[in-house]
Amino acid sequence: MVGGAQRRRDFVRADQLAAHAGCSLRTLQRLFTEYVGIGPKWVIQRFRILDAAAAAHSGERIDWSALAYELGFSDQAHLTRVFTQVVGTPPATYQRANGLL
């Protein structure tokens, strides 16, 4: 299930992963807590942040608003807030600071 969350960029909510796994959301949450130690929402969100970091590493100009929508964030500010919490800097700053633009 973790691999599915990693490979399937279109999985942006835990209920999508649960449907793919053929179980209820609550069952998925219990399984993740028992075997992974964290919830599926957290895992999915981290993979989407890694997707955003990969986009920053592409060397191309990024429409952060469009990427936020594609990755399942409510808006660009939501993506920026979570990215900053995880990486330590906003995504556009991360891209510039690492000479990726």
Side-chain angles (χ1 to χ4, degrees), residues 13-98:
R13 295 186 330 268
D15 62 336
Q16 293 171 310
L17 186 57
H20 178 72
C23 64
S24 71
L25 177 57
R26 185 63 190 126
T27 297
L28 182 73
Q29 290 167 334
R30 279 194 294 269
L31 289 170
F32 264 74
T33 299
E34 182 176 344
Y35 292 103
V36 183
I38 52 178
K41 178 181 174 182
W42 191 93
V43 170
I44 291 168
Q45 189 173 62
R46 290 309 177 256
F47 283 131
R48 299 302 72 91
I49 291 299
L50 289 174
D51 291 339
H57 279 271
S58 71
E60 300 175 10
R61 292 210 179 273
I62 306 297
D63 179 348
W64 294 107
S65 181
L67 184 62
Y69 176 77
E70 180 182 329
L71 296 177
F73 291 90
S74 57
D75 57 18
Q76 181 179 348
H78 184 205
L79 168 63
T80 299
R81 188 170 47 257
V82 174
F83 190 97
T84 302
Q85 288 172 346
V86 173
V87 178
T89 184
T93 304
Y94 173 82
Q95 189 178 35
R96 283 191 306 273
N98 290 295

